């Protein structure tokens, strides 16, 4: 996936690709669909508290939660500086 395609992708595509990179053995599209159905947008998914995010829905814990939170924090800080 190149930069232009990422920029033009919808929340589902971005979240699916991100999850595929993090957890290649899991069905990323199913997980992305589940998360977006529950939280509505990529921004809402990423900004969920650690204790609520993936473990309660999917039984996935640990590094994935932390990585999603780090991505959100990087985006928040980058946006704040603009």
């Amino acid at each position: 996936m190149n930069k232009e395609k990422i920029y033009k992708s919808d929340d589902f595509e971005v979240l699916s690709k991100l999850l595929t990179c993090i957890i290649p053995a899991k069905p990323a599209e199913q997980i992305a669909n589940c998360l977006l159905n529950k939280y509505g947008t990529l921004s809402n998914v990423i900004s969920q508290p650690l204790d609520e995010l993936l473990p309660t829905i999917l039984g996935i814990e640990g590094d994935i939660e932390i990585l999603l939170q780090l991505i959100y924090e990087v985006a928040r800080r980058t946006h704040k500086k603009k």
Side-chain angles (χ1 to χ4, degrees):
M1 183 177 254
N2 62 34
K3 288 180 187 178
E4 174 125 354
K5 183 162 176 148
I6 291 170
Y7 181 73
K8 292 180 179 179
S9 298
D10 63 16
D11 285 357
F12 175 76
E13 290 175 300
V14 171
L15 187 56
S16 292
K17 290 294 182 191
L18 176 64
L19 291 171
T20 298
C21 293
I22 301 169
I23 46 171
K26 298 278 184 182
E29 289 182 355
Q30 257 184 325
I31 295 168
N33 195 35
C34 178
L35 290 170
L36 289 171
N37 282 336
K38 181 166 183 169
Y39 298 109
T41 66
L42 180 59
S43 179
N44 289 343
V45 170
I46 302 287
S47 63
Q48 292 306 306
L50 289 176
D51 61 344
E52 230 179 274
L53 192 57
L54 296 175
T56 48
I57 321 173
L58 309 165
I60 299 171
E61 359 181 326
D63 294 342
I64 297 161
E65 297 169 77
I66 293 166
L67 182 57
L68 290 173
Q69 291 291 310
L70 286 169
I71 291 166
Y72 174 78
E73 186 60 20
V74 167
R76 187 186 72 76
R77 291 180 186 196
T78 301
H79 180 71
K80 188 176 181 180
K81 288 182 179 181
K82 287 185 177 183

